[in-house]
Amino acid sequence: MKHIVKIMSFLVLMSAVWVGLLQASIVPQSYTWLLPLYSIVSLGCYGLLMVGVGLMQFPTCPQESLLLQKDIIEAKEFLKQRGVDVGSD
Amino acid sequence: MELADRAVGFLLSFISLSIFTYYTFWVIILPFVHGDHFVHKYFLPQEYAILIPVFAGVTLLSFLCIFIGYVMLKSKKKKA
């Protein structure tokens, strides 16, 4: 239950800040009405950006891939000699 | 293999950045510009700045609910 309490309190804090901004009129009121929607859209954009950047920077380790293939072939031969069915050949 | 990954990642980040700049321009900068500036031609009327994200959010939520309901129904049918 403690995690949902944290989430709820964060939401209440955000709405209190928003209502306070509405009342105080530091920024023009028409902006304050659109602020939650703008934050949601920008949060979605940020998530998509992080996914794209992570995809671009993903390391592939080609040498490890070759060593892994060799290990797989070795293991398959070993098991076939012992009589275990290794499947896709 | 990794070139395809890079291309998809680049496409995703490009889409997200363009959506972000377009939306920021639309919501924040455009109200300060005069009514008969030529830039207003490239942006839809301001009501759409609210309608399109809300519509997308509602579509996403309903798709999630449909998917969850479908999976629940399928698992119940397999058990019975």
Side-chain angles (χ1 to χ4, degrees):
Chain A
M1 277 321 250
K2 290 202 184 138
H3 202 57
I4 194 124
V5 167
K6 270 194 276 187
I7 296 177
M8 283 290 135
S9 59
F10 177 73
L11 275 178
V12 165
L13 192 68
M14 283 291 117
S15 4
V17 162
W18 185 51
V19 170
L21 264 184
L22 264 182
Q23 299 285 41
S25 301
I26 307 176
V27 275
Q29 279 225 333
S30 57
Y31 277 170
T32 321
W33 282 112
L34 291 177
L35 197 66
L37 192 60
Y38 180 72
S39 348
I40 292 177
V41 168
S42 68
L43 179 73
C45 266
Y46 171 73
L48 203 63
L49 183 75
M50 284 291 117
V51 166
V53 164
L55 252 187
M56 285 213 297
Q57 292 183 342
F58 198 80
T60 49
C61 323
Q63 302 107 328
E64 272 79 356
S65 155
L66 284 175
L67 289 177
L68 189 62
Q69 298 293 339
K70 264 199 282 188
D71 279 343
I72 291 176
I73 293 176
E74 242 181 77
K76 273 193 185 167
E77 283 179 11
F78 180 79
L79 286 174
K80 215 187 283 197
Q81 281 173 5
R82 297 290 191 279
V84 179
D85 179 18
V86 285
S88 59
D89 242 342
Chain B
M1 240 61 64
E2 70 180 70
L3 190 61
D5 277 347
R6 288 249 168 96
V8 170
F10 181 71
L11 191 70
L12 274 184
S13 17
F14 182 71
I15 287 179
S16 93
L17 276 176
S18 56
I19 288 183
F20 179 69
T21 44
Y22 188 83
Y23 198 69
T24 305
F25 226 80
W26 206 2
V27 171
I28 296 191
I29 300 187
L30 224 51
F32 283 138
V33 171
H34 273 301
D36 37 358
H37 201 272
F38 77 100
V39 147
H40 279 278
K41 267 195 310 188
Y42 293 109
F43 292 95
L44 297 166
Q46 271 240 324
E47 305 88 46
Y48 287 104
I50 307 178
L51 280 181
I52 294 181
V54 167
F55 182 68
V58 165
T59 311
L60 184 74
L61 274 178
S62 47
F63 176 70
L64 279 177
C65 289
I66 290 176
F67 183 71
I68 291 178
Y70 175 69
V71 166
M72 281 170 73
L73 280 176
K74 211 160 68 153
S75 83
K76 200 168 279 191
K77 204 160 64 155
K78 212 172 16 170
K79 215 173 18 169

